[in-house]
Amino acid sequence: MIIAIDGPAGSGKSTVARLIASRLDFKYIETGSMYRAVAWKAERLGIALDDHERIAEVARNIIIEFQPGEERQKVMVDGEDLTALLKTETIGRSAAIVAANRDVRDVMVKQQQQMGQSGNVVMDGRDIGTVVFPNADKKFFLVADRKERAQRRHEEIRVKNPEIKYEKILEQLQQRDHEDENRKVSPLVPAKDSIRLDTTQLSIEEVVNRMLEEIGPVHSQ
Ligand code: C5P
């Protein structure tokens, strides 16, 4: 069984995807961290994010693995644990730039398809229900008001970076929404057969329960 969860930044995807995977005992793949990893590596190598060829080369050579961690799973990039480093909104914006590169997407989508081929997986991102697994068993598209999404991100990031301003996060989110919705390759659009869920007024638990209801009983395959 494959469960696809798409939606804009801060809509709650990764939090609920992780919880659903743990309730169902499924594998969880957070595809956003793969684009973040490519952006992070490019910056470390001093490669301009709009250098199409060299960025594509980074994507072809990078080794991204998800490993079980204590609280959350770890994102290993070329053997290095980058879980915490990849979470910043600055890397999020850089990720949105490299994610507009068609060759980067080709490489990432193929890897995601391989990671999901053994089944029983929850995968979240922007194009999972439309491109990566168009035949997924269940597809969700999560949305929430932008101000609410910025608020959530702010609370999350403030723990590590108390100086961060809400207005700054709101502005970055706005730019990222614009980039994700307007890029030529795989823009953020809901799959026609996806279930749309507005999470603005809902608690995490409510979102998870609604989704589990939609998924229904799961039989091990
Ligand atoms: O989900 P997350 O915020 O970590 O994603 C970072 C960026 O990576 C997104 O803004 C988007 O541009 C890109 N992305 C994508 N396709 C995915 C997952 C993420 O284009 N499946």
Side-chain angles (χ1 to χ4, degrees), residues 13 31-33 35-36 92 95-96 99 105 125-128 176 180 183:
K13 292 182 311 286
T31 62
S33 48
Y35 294 96
R36 285 170 184 261
R105 297 203 76 83
R126 303 292 185 289
D127 59 343
I128 310 304
R176 205 135 74 89
D180 287 350
R183 67 174 171 233

PDB file of all heavy atoms in Angstrom, residues 13 31-33 35-36 92 95-96 99 105 125-128 176 180 183, ligand 1:
ATOM      1  N   LYS A  13       2.131  18.345   6.609  1.00  0.00           N
ATOM      2  CA  LYS A  13       2.403  17.056   5.959  1.00  0.00           C
ATOM      3  C   LYS A  13       3.341  16.147   6.736  1.00  0.00           C
ATOM      4  O   LYS A  13       3.010  15.015   7.014  1.00  0.00           O
ATOM      5  CB  LYS A  13       3.077  17.270   4.589  1.00  0.00           C
ATOM      6  CG  LYS A  13       2.274  17.888   3.540  1.00  0.00           C
ATOM      7  CD  LYS A  13       3.076  17.983   2.250  1.00  0.00           C
ATOM      8  CE  LYS A  13       4.448  18.552   2.382  1.00  0.00           C
ATOM      9  NZ  LYS A  13       4.677  19.925   2.594  1.00  0.00           N
ATOM     10  N   THR A  31      10.196  13.405   1.198  1.00  0.00           N
ATOM     11  CA  THR A  31      10.962  13.698  -0.024  1.00  0.00           C
ATOM     12  C   THR A  31      11.535  15.119  -0.032  1.00  0.00           C
ATOM     13  O   THR A  31      12.517  15.371  -0.715  1.00  0.00           O
ATOM     14  CB  THR A  31      10.105  13.488  -1.292  1.00  0.00           C
ATOM     15  OG1 THR A  31       8.998  14.403  -1.259  1.00  0.00           O
ATOM     16  CG2 THR A  31       9.603  12.072  -1.405  1.00  0.00           C
ATOM     17  N   GLY A  32      10.936  16.039   0.734  1.00  0.00           N
ATOM     18  CA  GLY A  32      11.464  17.397   0.797  1.00  0.00           C
ATOM     19  C   GLY A  32      12.918  17.413   1.257  1.00  0.00           C
ATOM     20  O   GLY A  32      13.729  18.217   0.782  1.00  0.00           O
ATOM     21  N   SER A  33      13.257  16.491   2.171  1.00  0.00           N
ATOM     22  CA  SER A  33      14.637  16.516   2.670  1.00  0.00           C
ATOM     23  C   SER A  33      15.625  16.089   1.579  1.00  0.00           C
ATOM     24  O   SER A  33      16.816  16.408   1.668  1.00  0.00           O
ATOM     25  CB  SER A  33      14.800  15.688   3.937  1.00  0.00           C
ATOM     26  OG  SER A  33      14.213  14.464   3.772  1.00  0.00           O
ATOM     27  N   TYR A  35      15.459  17.117  -1.644  1.00  0.00           N
ATOM     28  CA  TYR A  35      15.776  18.361  -2.367  1.00  0.00           C
ATOM     29  C   TYR A  35      16.600  19.297  -1.478  1.00  0.00           C
ATOM     30  O   TYR A  35      17.492  20.000  -1.954  1.00  0.00           O
ATOM     31  CB  TYR A  35      14.487  19.035  -2.852  1.00  0.00           C
ATOM     32  CG  TYR A  35      13.781  18.198  -3.908  1.00  0.00           C
ATOM     33  CD1 TYR A  35      12.750  17.323  -3.561  1.00  0.00           C
ATOM     34  CD2 TYR A  35      14.190  18.235  -5.229  1.00  0.00           C
ATOM     35  CE1 TYR A  35      12.131  16.516  -4.503  1.00  0.00           C
ATOM     36  CE2 TYR A  35      13.576  17.433  -6.187  1.00  0.00           C
ATOM     37  CZ  TYR A  35      12.549  16.573  -5.816  1.00  0.00           C
ATOM     38  OH  TYR A  35      11.954  15.769  -6.761  1.00  0.00           O
ATOM     39  N   ARG A  36      16.292  19.267  -0.187  1.00  0.00           N
ATOM     40  CA  ARG A  36      17.082  20.077   0.752  1.00  0.00           C
ATOM     41  C   ARG A  36      18.538  19.600   0.763  1.00  0.00           C
ATOM     42  O   ARG A  36      19.469  20.391   0.819  1.00  0.00           O
ATOM     43  CB  ARG A  36      16.507  19.957   2.176  1.00  0.00           C
ATOM     44  CG  ARG A  36      15.218  20.745   2.356  1.00  0.00           C
ATOM     45  CD  ARG A  36      14.531  20.415   3.673  1.00  0.00           C
ATOM     46  NE  ARG A  36      13.261  21.112   3.771  1.00  0.00           N
ATOM     47  CZ  ARG A  36      13.072  22.255   4.444  1.00  0.00           C
ATOM     48  NH1 ARG A  36      14.055  22.783   5.135  1.00  0.00           N
ATOM     49  NH2 ARG A  36      11.901  22.838   4.451  1.00  0.00           N
ATOM     50  N   GLY A  92      15.227  25.516   2.973  1.00  0.00           N
ATOM     51  CA  GLY A  92      13.939  25.265   2.316  1.00  0.00           C
ATOM     52  C   GLY A  92      13.820  26.072   1.032  1.00  0.00           C
ATOM     53  O   GLY A  92      13.399  25.567  -0.004  1.00  0.00           O
ATOM     54  N   ALA A  95      16.163  24.756  -1.529  1.00  0.00           N
ATOM     55  CA  ALA A  95      15.624  23.489  -2.047  1.00  0.00           C
ATOM     56  C   ALA A  95      14.594  23.774  -3.136  1.00  0.00           C
ATOM     57  O   ALA A  95      14.548  23.089  -4.164  1.00  0.00           O
ATOM     58  CB  ALA A  95      14.984  22.688  -0.920  1.00  0.00           C
ATOM     59  N   ALA A  96      13.777  24.802  -2.925  1.00  0.00           N
ATOM     60  CA  ALA A  96      12.753  25.129  -3.925  1.00  0.00           C
ATOM     61  C   ALA A  96      13.402  25.544  -5.245  1.00  0.00           C
ATOM     62  O   ALA A  96      12.853  25.291  -6.318  1.00  0.00           O
ATOM     63  CB  ALA A  96      11.839  26.232  -3.394  1.00  0.00           C
ATOM     64  N   ALA A  99      14.774  22.347  -6.852  1.00  0.00           N
ATOM     65  CA  ALA A  99      13.648  21.464  -7.201  1.00  0.00           C
ATOM     66  C   ALA A  99      12.983  21.878  -8.509  1.00  0.00           C
ATOM     67  O   ALA A  99      12.173  21.135  -9.062  1.00  0.00           O
ATOM     68  CB  ALA A  99      12.618  21.451  -6.074  1.00  0.00           C
ATOM     69  N   ARG A 105      14.944  16.671 -10.609  1.00  0.00           N
ATOM     70  CA  ARG A 105      13.672  15.985 -10.320  1.00  0.00           C
ATOM     71  C   ARG A 105      13.682  14.563 -10.874  1.00  0.00           C
ATOM     72  O   ARG A 105      13.220  13.635 -10.227  1.00  0.00           O
ATOM     73  CB  ARG A 105      12.475  16.756 -10.897  1.00  0.00           C
ATOM     74  CG  ARG A 105      12.278  18.133 -10.320  1.00  0.00           C
ATOM     75  CD  ARG A 105      10.846  18.608 -10.473  1.00  0.00           C
ATOM     76  NE  ARG A 105       9.977  17.965  -9.524  1.00  0.00           N
ATOM     77  CZ  ARG A 105       9.815  18.369  -8.266  1.00  0.00           C
ATOM     78  NH1 ARG A 105      10.403  19.434  -7.816  1.00  0.00           N
ATOM     79  NH2 ARG A 105       9.026  17.706  -7.450  1.00  0.00           N
ATOM     80  N   GLY A 125       5.376  15.132   0.044  1.00  0.00           N
ATOM     81  CA  GLY A 125       6.124  16.040  -0.823  1.00  0.00           C
ATOM     82  C   GLY A 125       5.208  17.006  -1.545  1.00  0.00           C
ATOM     83  O   GLY A 125       4.261  17.550  -0.955  1.00  0.00           O
ATOM     84  N   ARG A 126       5.491  17.227  -2.830  1.00  0.00           N
ATOM     85  CA  ARG A 126       4.680  18.143  -3.639  1.00  0.00           C
ATOM     86  C   ARG A 126       4.058  17.447  -4.840  1.00  0.00           C
ATOM     87  O   ARG A 126       3.059  17.889  -5.375  1.00  0.00           O
ATOM     88  CB  ARG A 126       5.545  19.299  -4.173  1.00  0.00           C
ATOM     89  CG  ARG A 126       6.283  20.127  -3.137  1.00  0.00           C
ATOM     90  CD  ARG A 126       5.308  20.932  -2.310  1.00  0.00           C
ATOM     91  NE  ARG A 126       5.990  21.840  -1.355  1.00  0.00           N
ATOM     92  CZ  ARG A 126       6.635  21.461  -0.274  1.00  0.00           C
ATOM     93  NH1 ARG A 126       6.697  20.187   0.044  1.00  0.00           N
ATOM     94  NH2 ARG A 126       7.204  22.350   0.533  1.00  0.00           N
ATOM     95  N   ASP A 127       4.719  16.343  -5.280  1.00  0.00           N
ATOM     96  CA  ASP A 127       4.321  15.701  -6.544  1.00  0.00           C
ATOM     97  C   ASP A 127       4.145  14.198  -6.371  1.00  0.00           C
ATOM     98  O   ASP A 127       4.250  13.450  -7.329  1.00  0.00           O
ATOM     99  CB  ASP A 127       5.404  15.962  -7.605  1.00  0.00           C
ATOM    100  CG  ASP A 127       6.770  15.420  -7.168  1.00  0.00           C
ATOM    101  OD1 ASP A 127       6.944  15.149  -5.953  1.00  0.00           O
ATOM    102  OD2 ASP A 127       7.636  15.231  -8.026  1.00  0.00           O
ATOM    103  N   ILE A 128       3.918  13.757  -5.154  1.00  0.00           N
ATOM    104  CA  ILE A 128       3.884  12.300  -4.918  1.00  0.00           C
ATOM    105  C   ILE A 128       2.649  11.687  -5.599  1.00  0.00           C
ATOM    106  O   ILE A 128       2.758  10.687  -6.314  1.00  0.00           O
ATOM    107  CB  ILE A 128       3.911  11.953  -3.406  1.00  0.00           C
ATOM    108  CG1 ILE A 128       5.041  12.707  -2.696  1.00  0.00           C
ATOM    109  CG2 ILE A 128       4.052  10.441  -3.200  1.00  0.00           C
ATOM    110  CD1 ILE A 128       6.418  12.508  -3.261  1.00  0.00           C
ATOM    111  N   ARG A 176       8.297  30.803  -1.271  1.00  0.00           N
ATOM    112  CA  ARG A 176       8.386  29.370  -1.565  1.00  0.00           C
ATOM    113  C   ARG A 176       7.087  28.879  -2.208  1.00  0.00           C
ATOM    114  O   ARG A 176       7.107  28.115  -3.170  1.00  0.00           O
ATOM    115  CB  ARG A 176       8.675  28.596  -0.285  1.00  0.00           C
ATOM    116  CG  ARG A 176       9.337  27.290  -0.520  1.00  0.00           C
ATOM    117  CD  ARG A 176      10.471  27.104   0.429  1.00  0.00           C
ATOM    118  NE  ARG A 176      10.041  26.816   1.782  1.00  0.00           N
ATOM    119  CZ  ARG A 176       9.809  25.590   2.245  1.00  0.00           C
ATOM    120  NH1 ARG A 176       9.889  24.550   1.433  1.00  0.00           N
ATOM    121  NH2 ARG A 176       9.499  25.403   3.497  1.00  0.00           N
ATOM    122  N   ASP A 180       6.957  27.135  -5.817  1.00  0.00           N
ATOM    123  CA  ASP A 180       6.441  25.764  -5.954  1.00  0.00           C
ATOM    124  C   ASP A 180       5.206  25.699  -6.864  1.00  0.00           C
ATOM    125  O   ASP A 180       5.017  24.739  -7.599  1.00  0.00           O
ATOM    126  CB  ASP A 180       6.094  25.176  -4.573  1.00  0.00           C
ATOM    127  CG  ASP A 180       7.354  24.836  -3.776  1.00  0.00           C
ATOM    128  OD1 ASP A 180       8.450  24.878  -4.350  1.00  0.00           O
ATOM    129  OD2 ASP A 180       7.218  24.536  -2.570  1.00  0.00           O
ATOM    130  N   ARG A 183       6.468  26.848 -10.905  1.00  0.00           N
ATOM    131  CA  ARG A 183       7.572  26.300 -11.696  1.00  0.00           C
ATOM    132  C   ARG A 183       7.011  25.483 -12.862  1.00  0.00           C
ATOM    133  O   ARG A 183       5.888  24.972 -12.792  1.00  0.00           O
ATOM    134  CB  ARG A 183       8.509  25.478 -10.823  1.00  0.00           C
ATOM    135  CG  ARG A 183       7.893  24.239 -10.285  1.00  0.00           C
ATOM    136  CD  ARG A 183       8.898  23.380  -9.539  1.00  0.00           C
ATOM    137  NE  ARG A 183       8.198  22.314  -8.877  1.00  0.00           N
ATOM    138  CZ  ARG A 183       8.302  22.016  -7.598  1.00  0.00           C
ATOM    139  NH1 ARG A 183       9.094  22.695  -6.812  1.00  0.00           N
ATOM    140  NH2 ARG A 183       7.618  21.013  -7.080  1.00  0.00           N
TER     141      ARG A 183
HETATM  142  O1  C5P B   1       8.676  19.666   2.156  1.00  0.00           O
HETATM  143  P1  C5P B   1       9.857  20.593   2.292  1.00  0.00           P
HETATM  144  O2  C5P B   1       9.498  21.939   2.805  1.00  0.00           O
HETATM  145  O3  C5P B   1      10.972  19.978   3.071  1.00  0.00           O
HETATM  146  O4  C5P B   1      10.414  20.776   0.791  1.00  0.00           O
HETATM  147  C1  C5P B   1      11.426  21.700   0.457  1.00  0.00           C
HETATM  148  C2  C5P B   1      11.258  22.105  -1.002  1.00  0.00           C
HETATM  149  O5  C5P B   1      11.557  20.992  -1.834  1.00  0.00           O
HETATM  150  C3  C5P B   1       9.832  22.521  -1.405  1.00  0.00           C
HETATM  151  O6  C5P B   1       9.587  23.910  -1.207  1.00  0.00           O
HETATM  152  C4  C5P B   1       9.762  22.147  -2.864  1.00  0.00           C
HETATM  153  O7  C5P B   1      10.258  23.165  -3.695  1.00  0.00           O
HETATM  154  C5  C5P B   1      10.710  20.959  -2.977  1.00  0.00           C
HETATM  155  N1  C5P B   1      10.011  19.684  -3.069  1.00  0.00           N
HETATM  156  C6  C5P B   1       9.550  19.305  -4.314  1.00  0.00           C
HETATM  157  N2  C5P B   1       8.982  18.084  -4.468  1.00  0.00           N
HETATM  158  C7  C5P B   1       8.839  17.253  -3.429  1.00  0.00           C
HETATM  159  C8  C5P B   1       9.262  17.642  -2.144  1.00  0.00           C
HETATM  160  C9  C5P B   1       9.836  18.888  -1.998  1.00  0.00           C
HETATM  161  O8  C5P B   1       9.654  20.056  -5.270  1.00  0.00           O
HETATM  162  N3  C5P B   1       8.297  16.051  -3.631  1.00  0.00           N
END
